[in-house]
Amino acid sequence: MTNDNLIIGGHEFSSRFILGSGKYSLKLIEAAVRDAGAQIVTLAVRRANTKDEESILDYIPKEVTLLPNTSGARTAEEAVRIARLARELGCGDFVKIEIMRDSKYLLPDNQETIRATEILAKEGFVVMPYMYPDLNVARDLVNAGAAAVMPLASPIGSNKGLATREFIRILIDEIDLPIIVDAGIGRPSQACEAMEMGAAAIMANTALATAGDLPLMAAAFRQAIEAGRKAYLSGLGRVLTRGASASDPLTGFLRD
Amino acid sequence: MLKINGESLDLAGVTLAAYLADSPFDARRIAVERNGVIVPKSAYDATVLADGDVIEIVSFVGGG
């Protein structure tokens, strides 16, 4: 296999694992990025720490592309405000749009997400909207200028896996942008399955942050994502509707 | 009085650059918004804080 890079907004990445940086120690980030092989790491924007608190930027290797999210936004306008502040922080033009009005299930507001995507794409951002997997919304996001579409697998932080499998499959089949499965992926096997289906990449945070050994789980996810990608590129073997098909020569042992 | 990250402070007449120099914020790692408008780093010296200003100072934290 020569070049199988992931291309987002004209930028190329050899890794298909986008790593979250929330809910774990800054000191683990470097090992997590290394063992995940991640080239994109998500961040949030909040009121600046005062006093002597350390900056997360000191722990993320310089070659990593930062993907600020707009978490905390409840409307398109708030997301746009956060995205502009993130860009002012001087770490590039990527932004993951995340807009939620619902604080119990943390489900994204698709309509506000379309509006924010349109505004930010016009301002030159590489816009990666987190969304509830709906084909019509995904098409609207494409038209609004998104660089990728990030459907949820199950509620954020739930580790419940591909609850929206069939709807993500529709996006993969119909949308001509990278489909990056975000939120809810709890195990490497689930990441692998999404990649086998043809997802372009996997974003995970809680699955690692709540694992027993974070760097080891990062490595497990990396391998699962790479395995799923290779399986997708290969094309999966067929499934029989019924019956069996011998893998051995169809002769009896020691008989003609 | 004006507000910086929700805290009321008596800093009218002080430049943003002077405030930041004495503050615990790392000026390389922050973005500043004044009354809803981003203040570029190049404008910190020329930005004089005024009564009623609402200043937000943000930075990156871990997130997913």
Side-chain angles (χ1 to χ4, degrees):
Chain A
M1 205 156 59
T2 49
N3 180 341
D4 179 41
N5 285 345
L6 169 65
I7 300 174
I8 303 172
H11 298 72
E12 291 198 36
F13 304 93
S14 55
S15 163
R16 291 175 179 272
F17 185 10
I18 299 177
L19 185 68
S21 62
K23 299 191 289 193
Y24 58 91
S25 156
L26 294 181
K27 293 180 174 50
L28 277 171
I29 286 181
E30 200 172 346
V33 170
R34 182 191 64 223
D35 293 355
Q39 294 171 315
I40 303 176
V41 172
T42 61
L43 297 167
V45 177
R46 290 292 182 272
R47 276 182 174 167
N49 295 327
T50 53
K51 312 293 182 282
D52 302 316
E53 290 180 66
E54 295 170 289
S55 168
I56 190 168
L57 295 181
D58 293 331
Y59 290 87
I60 299 178
K62 292 284 171 281
E63 63 275 15
V64 167
T65 295
L66 300 179
L67 176 57
N69 68 36
T70 64
S71 66
R74 288 157 298 181
T75 64
E77 283 69 28
E78 288 177 4
V80 167
R81 177 185 183 195
I82 295 167
R84 288 173 180 157
L85 282 165
R87 181 152 71 176
E88 180 62 21
L89 283 164
C91 298
D93 293 330
F94 280 71
V95 64
K96 173 185 156 186
I97 299 184
E98 200 175 311
I99 303 176
M100 294 155 196
R101 278 182 299 173
D102 162 57
S103 60
K104 182 173 182 185
Y105 299 103
L106 303 174
L107 295 172
D109 184 320
N110 278 351
Q111 296 309 314
E112 290 295 295
T113 300
I114 295 166
R115 286 211 301 128
T117 297
E118 189 165 16
I119 295 167
L120 291 170
K122 279 184 184 148
E123 293 184 14
F125 283 89
V126 176
V127 185
M128 301 171 64
Y130 167 63
M131 53 93 76
Y132 192 89
D134 176 299
L135 178 58
N136 296 307
V137 171
R139 286 180 170 145
D140 289 345
L141 290 169
V142 172
N143 292 333
V149 175
M150 303 181 80
L152 64 87
S154 51
I156 286 181
S158 69
N159 284 352
K160 284 187 168 175
L162 282 168
T164 58
R165 174 185 293 102
E166 296 308 320
F167 302 96
I168 288 178
R169 200 188 303 276
I170 292 171
L171 299 193
I172 290 169
D173 288 346
E174 301 301 327
I175 298 297
D176 194 22
L177 279 179
I179 302 298
I180 300 172
V181 178
D182 182 5
I185 294 288
R187 303 178 184 206
S189 56
Q190 296 158 354
C192 186
E193 184 185 352
M195 293 303 293
E196 286 173 2
M197 283 164 48
I202 301 294
M203 149 92 214
N205 190 149
T206 301
L208 279 72
T210 60
D213 182 327
L214 195 158
L216 190 56
M217 186 58 83
F221 263 86
R222 175 188 191 159
Q223 290 180 317
I225 290 165
E226 289 175 357
R229 179 67 184 172
K230 285 176 183 163
Y232 169 73
L233 292 173
S234 151
L236 295 171
R238 92 283 187 262
V239 178
L240 291 180
T241 318
R242 62 179 63 192
S245 169
S247 302
D248 309 303
L250 285 171
T251 55
F253 178 57
L254 300 184
R255 281 189 294 150
D256 292 333
Chain B
M1 296 294 277
L2 53 101
K3 282 200 170 177
I4 297 182
N5 283 4
E7 189 183 352
S8 291
L9 297 166
D10 190 9
L11 290 169
V14 175
T15 68
L16 182 56
Y19 165 71
L20 289 173
D22 281 343
S23 80
F25 297 112
D26 179 348
R28 298 167 308 145
R29 293 288 167 77
I30 57 170
V32 180
E33 193 188 66
R34 180 194 198 191
N35 303 327
V37 179
I38 289 174
V39 183
K41 285 189 173 26
S42 58
Y44 288 179
D45 278 326
T47 300
V48 180
L49 301 176
D51 278 330
D53 275 353
V54 176
I55 308 287
E56 291 291 343
I57 301 177
V58 301
S59 62
F60 284 129
V61 299

